[in-house]
Amino acid sequence: MEEEKRKESTSFDPGLVPHKVTIDVVSNGSAQLPPCFIIWTSQKTYMFNVPEATSRYSKTLRVREPTVTDIFFTRSMWSNFGGLTGFLLNKGKTCTTRLHGPPKIKLYVETMRNFLDVDITGKAEISNAVQEVLYTSRQFEDAALKVSYVPVFEMSTSTGETNGIAEPNKFIDVAFLLELKPPAKKMNPLRIMELKVPVGPLLSNLKAGQTITLPNGRVIQPDDVLEENTSLEEKPTLLVAECSSLKKLSSLTSNSILQPFINGSKKLCYLVHMTPRSVFETDEYNSWMKSFGEQCTHLVLNGAGPILPHMDGIFQHRYFQRALCPEIFPKLYPTDCKEPISQTTEMPKLGENVFMGLPLSRLIMRCKKNDREKYDSDINIDLNSSKAEIDDKLSEASVKEKVDEFRKIVEELPQPVAEYPKFSFLGTASACPTKYRNVSSYLFETNQNCALMIDCGEGTYAQLLTLYGHDDISTFFTKLRAIFVTHAHQDHTQGINTIIVKRHEAFQKLGLSYRPLIIISSNLARHNLMLYSRNFHNLEDLVSYVDCSFLTRSSKPKSDSNKKDTNTTEQKARPDINNTLALERRGLIEVTQHFDKDLFTPEEWNLKSILAVQVIHSQLNSSGFVFEDLDGRRVVFSGDTMPCELLVEHGKDADVLVHEATFEDDFSDMAYKKKHSTIGQAVQIGKRMNAKFTILSHFSGRYHKIPALPEYLEECGNVGIAMDHMVVRYGHLPLLSKLIPIYRVVYEEELKTIEGKELNRNLGRGPLISEGLPGTAIE
């Protein structure tokens, strides 16, 4: 690393110094995403903190992961780096990524490499070139800027504050002082002519700041032909600080690097405060803020301020969905954002030169004079921009006819509608999030007091907040009893840490005695939580863990993809749930037998049994789950799997089957290779299981608003398509299949695109390469 720094410094070219530099807010921390922002330059992007779901929400700012070569972390907490692995996954192997700040974050990234899953390319790769630049390196510089690291720590011998979970404040946080390098000077053509400097390499060397010798022996200094670039205006210095405890403030007030800015010998132009409100609002902290002078602009990104969305696509889509069926598509939060948000939206003023940052807020560090307005792009968040277009679509005769027919079906439903069991779909995409779908997570509410979560991919908390809002989410968390993890891939586990923390905070907020969250998973799926707890912040004390790892590989379930499809409904004998060892050898675990009796009673949960069924996906011990309530109703979640005979056998006569359908039928060869299911295979599993209702989910990222809709779906009459933030009461399950004819007309363009791609594939490859592979025929 020292050698690389030396090479960079000796090869420094002033011409590489960017003339455009801005501070762009990704999130102020008040809504779905914890605080983070970027420094944008015309050459590359610098990111400060990568909280969970950054990869999805940063798309609003058109952040391209490959342009981010340096990421700075102010703390080693999940709220600061929980989205890093997902962000790096999208970045690929394009270039080196430097991780600046506290230690062990690279260790986390390297350890979690084996838990990725990508369904499109078939490869799960994080760039091999990940460097860790610790705060002990003191400073970093490249062509654009110099960064000095300022350790933020308790200077006393105290062990630090505790928040009831662990002692995260005992760790050293890091502040960053950024100083832009001066822009390249301009060449004076008159002086060049006077000194008779020939065009060519000598002139280029002068421009690069090097002294040259002319053929006649005359020495020319760069200052002889260069002059200051007066066409730019700039505010070249920025301090980024997150002081998590008042006891750490003295490390900032006394730091020698900051003293020139405090005593006035240097000027600090911007100070970004990621400091929590409990510290930010103290007199001591405010006194430190004022010590930088009146010329310093303060930008506050600490979770305070107005609650605003970070993207508008899901809200525009929801307006459309609610026009079709408000019974299963509830309003999303925040509900009161009526005005567009853009980079020119006025920030709330908290004091003299103190502003509350908003999503998309932009501050300029360097630009051309009298050209500031050109630096504000057309990026905006407008929840109402598509309403007129959507209304026009809904008024089309073909759409209106279908909607009117559907509304009659809704009116004919038996009243009152049965409320429970109730299903909420928080994430219906596979591997990576998209604009309209997050990665895997489902809620299964057995009664008004018991909610169970099946899988918890990255950004699940953001999805919950969008569904419940800030006012109701704390109450929801008191109902959440357990998280069932189907397997260890990150798109099913990466959101667990945030859920644990937020749930604990909800109990504290409501003044309730804390009840541990039960987590049911294999030992491999537990690895993420264990790694974080033992290196950063202990969360393991807040959970009750139930291991559902299967005993042996010899019990690996058989695929039914070679088995002829049948519609038989004969009832096979169900296993004796009291014979634990025999069950586990068959790839089955009766989960409730391993619950802490203080946390589970059948009456309180309205559940008679919960069976973990080993399914066929990765080598990471994958499970499906079969729930049976006290009234005998059975609900099955397949998890990620190719068609699995064991799941069919033990999910027999299910009332509801939620089954993955990652690919359209034309990709059955890829589904077979990656151990996923196609739409047709999932439908056949529902038929063979004799499920009353089958809901398809876990769609590939190639399908944005809607997956492929084969003609046989309507013929089934009991198959529905899952959408993010869809909430389905038990009495509304019949509506899902009735929505498919409407989807065909309202998503006509998207479906034609899918069909066109399928046609091009088939024309390009001749006979289907999937012919002859198991599970390709749809009867």
Side-chain angles (χ1 to χ4, degrees), residues 262-428:
I262 293 175
N263 62 33
S265 58
K266 288 185 178 181
K267 291 185 178 180
L268 184 65
C269 302
Y270 294 111
L271 204 169
V272 175
H273 300 272
M274 308 184 89
T275 299
R277 281 175 280 182
S278 59
V279 177
F280 179 81
E281 294 171 356
T282 63
D283 293 338
E284 295 91 334
Y285 192 86
N286 274 267
S287 176
W288 177 70
M289 287 173 57
K290 293 176 182 178
S291 68
F292 291 101
E294 296 181 354
Q295 85 291 334
C296 182
T297 298
H298 299 269
L299 179 64
V300 182
L301 305 177
N302 65 355
I307 299 171
L308 301 171
H310 295 96
M311 60 194 309
D312 51 20
I314 55 176
F315 291 89
Q316 295 167 359
H317 197 211
R318 180 45 48 103
Y319 176 78
F320 190 52
Q321 292 168 328
R322 284 184 58 78
L324 306 178
C325 187
E327 289 81 6
I328 65 173
F329 295 117
K331 290 182 178 180
L332 302 182
Y333 293 89
T335 59
D336 55 355
C337 182
K338 298 179 180 179
E339 298 298 325
I341 310 165
S342 70
Q343 293 181 320
T344 59
T345 300
E346 185 176 352
M347 293 183 287
K349 193 170 183 179
L350 303 179
E352 191 63 33
N353 282 340
V354 182
F355 299 92
M356 180 65 65
L358 305 176
L360 306 186
S361 291
R362 166 169 281 187
L363 296 174
I364 295 176
M365 295 188 71
R366 178 180 287 155
C367 70
K368 290 184 177 180
K369 288 183 178 178
N370 304 317
D371 206 16
R372 296 176 65 91
E373 63 277 359
K374 292 184 179 180
Y375 286 74
D376 296 318
S377 67
D378 59 347
I379 297 174
N380 65 72
I381 299 172
D382 187 355
L383 307 192
N384 303 311
S385 62
S386 299
K387 283 188 175 181
E389 181 182 348
I390 292 172
D391 289 339
D392 289 342
K393 181 69 177 178
L394 292 170
S395 64
E396 293 178 7
S398 59
V399 177
K400 191 174 185 304
E401 178 183 359
K402 296 289 185 183
V403 173
D404 289 344
E405 292 175 0
F406 177 76
R407 295 312 307 170
K408 291 180 181 178
I409 295 173
V410 175
E411 293 171 2
E412 294 171 357
L413 286 176
Q415 298 296 327
V417 172
E419 183 80 6
Y420 298 100
K422 184 162 67 174
F423 308 88
S424 300
F425 294 81
L426 303 176
T428 59

Side-chain angles (χ1 to χ4, degrees), residues 6 64 68 89 141 304 310 348 525 576 587 596 646 671 694 700-701 705 776-777:
R6 187 192 65 77
R64 294 177 57 248
V68 180
L89 178 63
E141 62 179 297
H310 295 96
D576 178 7
D596 185 328
L646 196 64
T694 300
S700 167
K705 292 181 180 179
T776 58

Side-chain angles (χ1 to χ4, degrees), residues 319-600:
Y319 176 78
F320 190 52
Q321 292 168 328
R322 284 184 58 78
L324 306 178
C325 187
E327 289 81 6
I328 65 173
F329 295 117
K331 290 182 178 180
L332 302 182
Y333 293 89
T335 59
D336 55 355
C337 182
K338 298 179 180 179
E339 298 298 325
I341 310 165
S342 70
Q343 293 181 320
T344 59
T345 300
E346 185 176 352
M347 293 183 287
K349 193 170 183 179
L350 303 179
E352 191 63 33
N353 282 340
V354 182
F355 299 92
M356 180 65 65
L358 305 176
L360 306 186
S361 291
R362 166 169 281 187
L363 296 174
I364 295 176
M365 295 188 71
R366 178 180 287 155
C367 70
K368 290 184 177 180
K369 288 183 178 178
N370 304 317
D371 206 16
R372 296 176 65 91
E373 63 277 359
K374 292 184 179 180
Y375 286 74
D376 296 318
S377 67
D378 59 347
I379 297 174
N380 65 72
I381 299 172
D382 187 355
L383 307 192
N384 303 311
S385 62
S386 299
K387 283 188 175 181
E389 181 182 348
I390 292 172
D391 289 339
D392 289 342
K393 181 69 177 178
L394 292 170
S395 64
E396 293 178 7
S398 59
V399 177
K400 191 174 185 304
E401 178 183 359
K402 296 289 185 183
V403 173
D404 289 344
E405 292 175 0
F406 177 76
R407 295 312 307 170
K408 291 180 181 178
I409 295 173
V410 175
E411 293 171 2
E412 294 171 357
L413 286 176
Q415 298 296 327
V417 172
E419 183 80 6
Y420 298 100
K422 184 162 67 174
F423 308 88
S424 300
F425 294 81
L426 303 176
T428 59
S430 66
C432 295
T434 67
K435 183 176 182 179
Y436 299 102
R437 296 180 187 271
N438 199 48
V439 290
S440 296
S441 187
Y442 313 100
L443 283 182
F444 170 39
E445 295 178 67
T446 59
N447 58 40
Q448 61 183 359
N449 298 314
C450 178
L452 310 175
M453 183 177 286
I454 292 82
D455 286 329
C456 188
E458 180 182 343
T460 294
Y461 173 72
Q463 296 290 92
L464 281 171
L465 197 58
T466 304
L467 187 61
Y468 285 94
H470 284 76
D471 293 339
D472 295 333
I473 195 166
S474 294
T475 302
F476 160 76
F477 275 130
T478 63
K479 295 165 46 178
L480 181 62
R481 306 301 182 102
I483 300 178
F484 294 80
V485 182
T486 59
H487 64 292
H489 281 153
Q490 285 194 54
D491 58 318
H492 296 254
T493 63
Q494 198 71 359
I496 291 176
N497 293 351
T498 300
I499 296 299
I500 294 172
V501 171
K502 294 298 182 181
R503 182 176 178 272
H504 180 262
E505 291 176 356
F507 276 82
Q508 290 181 319
K509 177 182 176 181
L510 298 175
L512 300 175
S513 297
Y514 184 73
R515 182 180 63 246
L517 178 68
I518 303 177
I519 295 183
I520 303 93
S521 74
S522 67
N523 273 324
L524 283 170
R526 185 186 182 185
H527 194 77
N528 183 10
L529 173 61
M530 190 166 58
L531 178 68
Y532 177 72
S533 293
R534 298 182 185 182
N535 287 279
F536 302 101
H537 181 192
N538 181 24
L539 301 179
E540 290 189 299
D541 291 345
L542 296 175
V543 304
S544 174
Y545 177 69
V546 174
D547 181 12
C548 69
S549 302
F550 296 98
L551 288 179
T552 64
R553 291 292 173 195
S554 62
S555 66
K556 185 175 181 180
K558 296 180 179 180
S559 167
D560 69 347
S561 46
N562 283 317
K563 184 179 179 74
K564 184 178 179 181
D565 290 67
T566 112
N567 291 322
T568 181
T569 60
E570 72 265 21
Q571 180 68 45
K572 294 188 178 182
R574 292 178 183 168
D576 178 7
I577 64 173
N578 295 313
N579 191 341
T580 303
L581 187 61
L583 282 177
E584 294 187 23
R585 285 175 174 166
R586 294 180 58 195
L588 305 169
I589 296 176
E590 172 47 50
V591 175
T592 59
Q593 292 187 356
H594 302 276
F595 284 171
D596 185 328
K597 302 306 179 185
D598 293 332
L599 301 177
F600 169 79

Side-chain angles (χ1 to χ4, degrees), residues 22-69:
T22 61
I23 304 169
D24 293 344
V25 177
V26 179
S27 172
N28 63 353
S30 65
Q32 292 96 338
L33 193 66
C36 58
F37 71 98
I38 62 173
I39 300 293
W40 179 88
T41 75
S42 47
Q43 274 86 27
K44 60 181 181 179
T45 304
Y46 306 84
M47 178 159 279
F48 289 79
N49 292 337
V50 187
E52 196 180 314
T54 296
S55 185
R56 186 185 190 201
Y57 288 111
S58 63
K59 294 295 188 292
T60 302
L61 263 176
R62 300 174 188 167
V63 176
R64 294 177 57 248
E65 288 90 344
T67 67
V68 180
T69 57

Side-chain angles (χ1 to χ4, degrees), residues 12 61 178 229 247 300 309 321 330 474 517 608 631 674 719:
F12 172 66
L61 263 176
L178 284 73
N229 190 341
K247 293 180 180 180
V300 182
Q321 292 168 328
S474 294
L517 178 68
K608 182 190 303 182
D631 295 321
K674 296 178 67 60
V719 178

